[in-house]
Protein backbone atom coordinates (compact mmCIF):
# COMPACT_ATOMS: atom_id res chain seq x y z
CA UNK A 1 0.00 0.00 0.00
CA UNK A 2 2.72 2.48 1.00
CA UNK A 3 4.88 1.52 -1.98
CA UNK A 4 2.06 2.26 -4.37
CA UNK A 5 1.32 5.56 -2.68
CA UNK A 6 4.90 6.88 -2.78
CA UNK A 7 5.71 5.52 -6.26
CA UNK A 8 9.37 4.98 -5.36
CA UNK A 9 11.87 2.38 -6.62
CA UNK A 10 10.95 -1.02 -5.25
CA UNK A 11 13.83 -1.43 -2.79
CA UNK A 12 13.43 2.14 -1.51
CA UNK A 13 9.70 1.80 -1.02
CA UNK A 14 10.07 -1.51 0.84
CA UNK A 15 12.50 0.17 3.22
CA UNK A 16 10.33 3.27 3.67
CA UNK A 17 7.17 1.23 4.17
CA UNK A 18 8.93 -0.98 6.72
CA UNK A 19 10.13 2.10 8.62
CA UNK A 20 6.61 3.57 8.76
CA UNK A 21 5.19 0.21 9.88
CA UNK A 22 7.84 -0.12 12.60
CA UNK A 23 7.18 3.41 13.88
CA UNK A 24 3.43 2.84 14.04
CA UNK A 25 3.75 -0.62 15.58
CA UNK A 26 6.33 0.16 18.26
CA UNK A 27 3.82 0.81 21.11
CA UNK A 28 1.88 -2.33 20.14
CA UNK A 29 5.10 -4.36 20.01
CA UNK A 30 6.06 -3.01 23.43
CA UNK A 31 2.67 -3.85 24.93
CA UNK A 32 2.68 -7.38 23.52
CA UNK A 33 6.29 -7.99 24.62
CA UNK A 34 5.40 -6.98 28.19
CA UNK A 35 2.19 -9.02 28.23
CA UNK A 36 3.69 -12.15 26.68
CA UNK A 37 6.69 -12.01 29.00
CA UNK A 38 4.56 -11.52 32.11
CA UNK A 39 6.50 -8.45 33.25
CA UNK A 40 5.05 -6.59 36.21
CA UNK A 41 4.01 -3.14 34.98
CA UNK A 42 2.20 -0.56 37.14
CA UNK A 43 -1.28 0.04 35.80
CA UNK A 44 -4.94 -0.50 36.51
CA UNK A 45 -5.77 -3.76 34.80
CA UNK A 46 -5.28 -4.62 31.16
CA UNK A 47 -6.14 -1.17 29.80
CA UNK A 48 -3.70 0.51 32.17
CA UNK A 49 -0.88 -1.75 31.04
CA UNK A 50 -1.67 -1.11 27.38
CA UNK A 51 -1.75 2.63 28.04
CA UNK A 52 1.69 2.38 29.68
CA UNK A 53 3.11 1.12 26.37
CA UNK A 54 2.43 4.51 24.80
CA UNK A 55 4.20 6.44 27.56
CA UNK A 56 7.92 7.07 28.09
CA UNK A 57 10.46 5.80 28.75
CA UNK A 58 10.60 4.21 25.31
CA UNK A 59 13.49 1.91 26.03
CA UNK A 60 15.38 0.67 23.00
CA UNK A 61 13.11 2.45 20.54
CA UNK A 62 15.93 3.20 18.08
CA UNK A 63 17.20 -0.37 18.08
CA UNK A 64 13.70 -1.78 17.74
CA UNK A 65 12.76 0.52 14.87
CA UNK A 66 16.02 -0.22 13.09
CA UNK A 67 15.72 -3.97 13.61
CA UNK A 68 12.10 -4.11 12.48
CA UNK A 69 12.78 -1.90 9.45
CA UNK A 70 15.70 -3.76 7.93
CA UNK A 71 14.17 -7.15 8.77
CA UNK A 72 10.81 -6.51 7.11
CA UNK A 73 12.32 -4.71 4.14
CA UNK A 74 14.83 -7.51 3.57
CA UNK A 75 12.23 -10.25 3.84
CA UNK A 76 9.57 -8.73 1.61
CA UNK A 77 11.91 -7.24 -0.98
CA UNK A 78 14.14 -10.30 -0.93
CA UNK A 79 11.15 -12.61 -1.28
CA UNK A 80 9.86 -10.72 -4.32
CA UNK A 81 13.30 -10.57 -5.93
CA UNK A 82 14.05 -14.20 -5.08
CA UNK A 83 10.74 -15.34 -6.53
CA UNK A 84 11.43 -13.52 -9.79
CA UNK A 85 14.90 -15.07 -10.05
CA UNK A 86 13.62 -18.58 -9.38
CA UNK A 87 10.74 -18.19 -11.85
CA UNK A 88 13.18 -16.95 -14.49
CA UNK A 89 15.38 -19.99 -13.77
CA UNK A 90 12.42 -22.32 -14.36
CA UNK A 91 11.78 -23.37 -10.77
CA UNK A 92 8.31 -24.77 -9.91
CA UNK A 93 5.85 -22.12 -8.65
CA UNK A 94 5.65 -23.65 -5.16
CA UNK A 95 9.44 -23.52 -4.76
CA UNK A 96 9.59 -19.97 -6.11
CA UNK A 97 7.00 -18.78 -3.60
CA UNK A 98 8.15 -20.62 -0.46
CA UNK A 99 11.94 -20.87 -0.59
CA UNK A 100 12.88 -17.13 -0.72
CA UNK A 101 10.91 -16.04 2.38
CA UNK A 102 11.95 -19.21 4.22
CA UNK A 103 15.68 -18.66 3.63
CA UNK A 104 15.71 -14.89 4.08
CA UNK A 105 13.53 -14.84 7.21
CA UNK A 106 15.75 -17.49 8.82
CA UNK A 107 18.90 -15.45 8.15
CA UNK A 108 17.23 -12.26 9.35
CA UNK A 109 16.05 -13.92 12.56
CA UNK A 110 19.54 -15.17 13.38
CA UNK A 111 21.09 -11.77 12.66
CA UNK A 112 18.47 -9.88 14.67
CA UNK A 113 18.32 -12.23 17.67
CA UNK A 114 20.68 -10.27 19.97
CA UNK A 115 18.67 -7.09 19.39
CA UNK A 116 15.40 -8.95 19.93
CA UNK A 117 16.53 -10.52 23.20
CA UNK A 118 18.03 -7.32 24.59
CA UNK A 119 15.15 -5.06 23.54
CA UNK A 120 12.55 -7.36 25.12
CA UNK A 121 14.61 -7.81 28.28
CA UNK A 122 14.78 -4.06 28.97
CA UNK A 123 11.01 -3.67 28.71
CA UNK A 124 10.83 -5.21 32.17
CA UNK A 125 10.56 -2.27 34.62
CA UNK A 126 12.69 -4.32 37.01
CA UNK A 127 15.48 -4.91 34.50
CA UNK A 128 18.98 -4.06 35.69
CA UNK A 129 19.73 -2.68 32.20
CA UNK A 130 18.15 0.41 30.67
CA UNK A 131 19.48 0.30 27.10
CA UNK A 132 19.82 -2.36 24.41
CA UNK A 133 23.59 -2.00 24.23
CA UNK A 134 23.90 -2.32 28.02
CA UNK A 135 21.66 -5.41 27.99
CA UNK A 136 23.65 -7.07 25.20
CA UNK A 137 26.90 -6.35 27.03
CA UNK A 138 25.48 -7.52 30.36
CA UNK A 139 23.98 -10.73 28.98
CA UNK A 140 27.19 -11.65 27.16
CA UNK A 141 29.31 -10.84 30.22
CA UNK A 142 27.21 -12.84 32.69
CA UNK A 143 26.01 -15.72 30.53
CA UNK A 144 28.41 -15.86 27.59
CA UNK A 145 28.23 -14.48 24.07
CA UNK A 146 26.05 -17.36 22.89
CA UNK A 147 23.33 -16.30 25.33
CA UNK A 148 22.50 -13.41 22.99
CA UNK A 149 21.18 -16.03 20.55
CA UNK A 150 19.21 -17.91 23.21
CA UNK A 151 15.65 -18.30 21.96
CA UNK A 152 16.65 -18.39 18.28
CA UNK A 153 14.92 -21.75 17.80
CA UNK A 154 11.57 -20.40 18.95
CA UNK A 155 12.23 -17.20 17.02
CA UNK A 156 12.75 -19.14 13.79
CA UNK A 157 9.64 -21.24 14.46
CA UNK A 158 7.78 -17.94 14.81
CA UNK A 159 9.37 -15.81 12.09
CA UNK A 160 9.72 -18.26 9.22
CA UNK A 161 6.09 -19.45 9.12
CA UNK A 162 4.89 -15.89 9.75
CA UNK A 163 6.60 -14.40 6.72
CA UNK A 164 6.13 -17.46 4.50
CA UNK A 165 2.39 -17.32 5.17
CA UNK A 166 2.31 -13.53 4.80
CA UNK A 167 4.08 -13.67 1.42
CA UNK A 168 1.88 -16.55 0.22
CA UNK A 169 -1.29 -14.75 1.26
CA UNK A 170 -0.09 -11.52 -0.36
CA UNK A 171 0.64 -13.33 -3.63
CA UNK A 172 -2.67 -15.22 -3.48
CA UNK A 173 -4.59 -11.99 -2.87
CA UNK A 174 -2.74 -10.40 -5.78
CA UNK A 175 -4.05 -13.16 -8.03
CA UNK A 176 -7.54 -13.20 -6.53
CA UNK A 177 -8.36 -9.49 -6.30
CA UNK A 178 -9.47 -7.82 -9.54
CA UNK A 179 -6.80 -5.55 -10.97
CA UNK A 180 -7.76 -1.89 -11.49
CA UNK A 181 -8.84 -1.08 -15.00
CA UNK A 182 -6.59 1.16 -17.11
CA UNK A 183 -7.29 4.77 -16.24
CA UNK A 184 -8.99 3.87 -12.94
CA UNK A 185 -8.52 6.26 -10.00
CA UNK A 186 -5.30 5.74 -8.06
CA UNK A 187 -7.38 5.14 -4.94
CA UNK A 188 -8.56 1.80 -6.36
CA UNK A 189 -5.00 0.55 -6.58
CA UNK A 190 -4.24 1.77 -3.07
CA UNK A 191 -7.33 0.05 -1.66
CA UNK A 192 -6.32 -3.18 -3.41
CA UNK A 193 -2.82 -2.95 -1.91
CA UNK A 194 -4.27 -2.25 1.53
CA UNK A 195 -6.46 -5.35 1.34
CA UNK A 196 -3.42 -7.48 0.47
CA UNK A 197 -1.38 -5.99 3.30
CA UNK A 198 -4.11 -6.48 5.92
CA UNK A 199 -4.81 -10.08 4.88
CA UNK A 200 -1.10 -10.96 4.87
CA UNK A 201 -0.46 -9.30 8.24
CA UNK A 202 -3.41 -10.94 9.99
CA UNK A 203 -2.61 -14.38 8.59
CA UNK A 204 1.05 -14.17 9.61
CA UNK A 205 0.39 -12.87 13.11
CA UNK A 206 -2.38 -15.34 13.90
CA UNK A 207 -0.26 -18.47 13.55
CA UNK A 208 2.83 -17.18 15.38
CA UNK A 209 1.60 -15.67 18.68
CA UNK A 210 2.24 -18.87 20.72
CA UNK A 211 5.90 -18.84 19.69
CA UNK A 212 6.22 -15.22 20.84
CA UNK A 213 5.19 -16.36 24.30
CA UNK A 214 7.57 -19.35 24.26
CA UNK A 215 10.51 -17.23 23.08
CA UNK A 216 9.93 -14.53 25.69
CA UNK A 217 9.68 -17.15 28.43
CA UNK A 218 13.01 -18.56 27.25
CA UNK A 219 14.55 -15.10 27.68
CA UNK A 220 13.31 -14.95 31.28
CA UNK A 221 14.31 -18.47 32.33
CA UNK A 222 17.35 -19.18 30.10
CA UNK A 223 15.84 -22.61 29.49
CA UNK A 224 15.89 -24.37 26.14
CA UNK A 225 12.84 -24.79 23.93
CA UNK A 226 11.30 -28.01 25.36
CA UNK A 227 11.27 -26.91 29.07
CA UNK A 228 10.04 -23.43 28.17
CA UNK A 229 7.33 -24.94 26.00
CA UNK A 230 6.19 -27.21 28.78
Amino acid sequence: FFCRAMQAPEADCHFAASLVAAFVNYPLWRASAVAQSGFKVPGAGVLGKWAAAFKPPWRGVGWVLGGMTWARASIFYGSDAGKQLLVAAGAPPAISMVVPPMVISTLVQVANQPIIRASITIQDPGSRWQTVSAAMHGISETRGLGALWHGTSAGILKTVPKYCVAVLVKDAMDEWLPKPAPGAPRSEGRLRSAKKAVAAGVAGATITNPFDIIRNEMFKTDESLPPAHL
Side-chain angles (χ1 to χ4, degrees), residues 24 62 101 119 129 135 150 161-162 181 198 216 219:
V24 172
S119 59
W129 305 296
H150 184 67
K162 173 182 178 179
V198 169
N216 295 352
F219 292 163

Side-chain angles (χ1 to χ4, degrees), residues 11 14-15 18 66-82 100-101 103-105 107-108 112 163 167:
H14 274 86
F15 182 85
S18 297
M68 286 183 178
T69 298
W70 90 266
R72 288 175 175 160
S74 298
I75 291 170
F76 283 107
Y77 175 71
S79 296
D80 288 345
V103 172
I104 296 171
S105 59
L107 296 175
V108 166
N112 250 6
Y163 284 105
V167 170

Side-chain angles (χ1 to χ4, degrees), residues 26-27 30 41-44 47-59 123:
Y26 173 77
R30 185 182 177 197
V41 179
L47 292 179
K49 292 179 180 179
W50 274 90
F54 291 83
K55 301 176 183 178
W58 295 296
R59 296 176 180 174
Q123 301 311 313

Side-chain angles (χ1 to χ4, degrees), residues 1-2 4 173 177 187-201:
F1 171 72
F2 191 79
R4 179 177 290 274
M173 292 288 288
L177 291 172
S187 58
E188 289 190 15
R190 291 176 179 174
L191 178 60
R192 184 175 183 274
S193 295
K195 289 178 180 178
K196 292 193 298 181
V198 169

Side-chain angles (χ1 to χ4, degrees), residues 75-76 79 97-106 158-171 200 204 207-208:
I75 291 170
F76 283 107
S79 296
M97 292 178 68
V98 173
V99 170
M102 181 183 297
V103 172
I104 296 171
S105 59
T106 299
K158 162 194 177 299
T159 301
V160 174
K162 173 182 178 179
Y163 284 105
C164 286
V165 168
V167 170
L168 290 172
V169 170
K170 178 178 70 70
D171 289 346
I207 67 170
T208 58

